[in-house]
Amino acid sequence: METKYLIVDNVVNNNDSYTQAVDFLNNSEIVAFPTETVYGLGAVATDEVAVQKIFAAKGRPSDNPLIVHISSKEQAQDYVVHISEIAQKCMDAFWPGPLTLILETKPNVFAASVTAGLTTVGLRMPDHPVALRLLQEINKPLAAPSANKSGKPSPTRAEHVAEDMTNIISCILDGGATGVGLESTVLDVTVNPPVILRPGGVTKEMLEEIIGTVIQPTEKEQESPGTPKAPGMKYTHYAPEAPVLLIEPKLESVQQAVEQLQATGQRVALLAAESFANSKANYFFTYGKDGDVEAMSSALYDALRACDKTDATIILATTTARLGVGVAIMNRLEKAAGGQWYKK
Ligand code: TXA
Ligand code: MG
């Protein structure tokens, strides 16, 4: 299959690109598109044939349900049994935006594999002009997981999608780099108090300001049988090819670690803020300005992918405090590293 690569920005007349994308979707094909978090791999959520193609393209286990994207808050009513006061407050405060709400789905409104046999569905209204226009023009809900191969970091640029999906999907809409850079916060509002199944750009603190107590299980608590889970969180994710080791962002200890690893014959890629640029690492990929967690979240996956283009044998990734968006960043870093920290 040849993949159509269509650049959609505000400069050129792009009506024709959206028409082509909508035609592909209506013909049970899949189209990758940008959202404010990461690129999504979209199929019409009511079309079982199309949704199956998503699982095949990603190599995704069939027990891992997909997020459904909609273009307005009102549409949620068409697909879910009940919208609680808490759910409504979340939509009003954070939609469009990087928050996925887990709700009880009406039976038989989506293709069966979208929900992977669960009675709930993850719904979200993305905050990106390309995603919203595509949703409005097709006027159907779109199931869309992140547009990477399973096990690869999520794509934050159309080029990343092309690396993983060229000749596998019908079309890529290139709307430039995404903003947030990490996948949406997944919040289970079928339970009270609501539980964060996956931390993201909408933080626990932001949620609590609107709806009161929210549970955010620690990594340990997530493993206990009683804790609500996102099926996807049990899979190893986001890992580049070379092993990743986490390290505190202290100039001196990072420099020592680089030298010690190089002394044992390793070629080191360092992921860190700008002030680490003069370290002696073989490769350096920046998270942006020191202390800027938004920049770090936006740069992280691009940096992890960039490591795969080098001959580095080990990746040292500096960490951040588990505060605000730092919780989501550390969740992804811990996964990329398989929980491994640098030890002297
Ligand atoms: O930012 C995002 O959420 C991106 C963009 C494209 O919207 N999408 C995304 O989708 O990250 P995906 O499929 O890569 O991750 C969806 C996560 C998985 O961990 C999945 O298990 C969980 O949400 N999930 C989906 N439906 C669920 C449900 N009904 N109950 C619990 N978890 C669910
Ligand atoms: Mg994903």
Side-chain angles (χ1 to χ4, degrees), residues 165-235:
M165 295 294 163
T166 293
N167 299 341
I168 294 175
I169 63 172
S170 292
C171 179
I172 299 171
L173 292 180
D174 179 353
T178 62
V180 179
L182 298 178
E183 306 83 351
S184 62
T185 304
V186 178
L187 184 70
D188 186 348
V189 288
T190 66
V191 289
N192 200 355
V195 177
I196 295 176
L197 305 184
R198 179 176 73 183
V202 174
T203 64
K204 178 177 194 266
E205 294 77 14
M206 290 160 73
L207 288 164
E208 288 193 324
E209 215 166 281
I210 308 291
I211 56 170
T213 306
V214 167
I215 312 282
Q216 180 159 265
T218 61
E219 256 115 81
K220 259 235 157 70
E221 285 163 352
Q222 267 184 348
E223 285 159 23
S224 89
T227 309
K229 289 178 193 60
M233 297 305 275
K234 67 174 180 275
Y235 298 105

Side-chain angles (χ1 to χ4, degrees), residues 249-263:
K250 294 193 186 108
L251 208 48
E252 202 168 315
S253 41
V254 167
Q255 192 52 42
Q256 279 171 10
V258 168
E259 282 166 18
Q260 189 272 331
L261 288 165
Q262 286 172 336

Side-chain angles (χ1 to χ4, degrees), residues 306-323:
C307 292
D308 279 343
K309 298 217 167 68
T310 70
D311 64 353
T313 55
I314 196 124
I315 300 163
L316 270 183
T318 58
T319 57
T320 188
R322 285 169 218 256
L323 290 172

Side-chain angles (χ1 to χ4, degrees), residues 301-343:
Y301 286 148
D302 194 29
L304 286 172
R305 272 186 185 255
C307 292
D308 279 343
K309 298 217 167 68
T310 70
D311 64 353
T313 55
I314 196 124
I315 300 163
L316 270 183
T318 58
T319 57
T320 188
R322 285 169 218 256
L323 290 172
V325 185
V327 175
I329 295 173
M330 286 307 293
N331 170 272
R332 307 316 193 268
L333 274 176
E334 288 271 6
K335 276 181 183 280
Q340 298 294 308
W341 286 70
Y342 171 78
K343 286 195 199 78

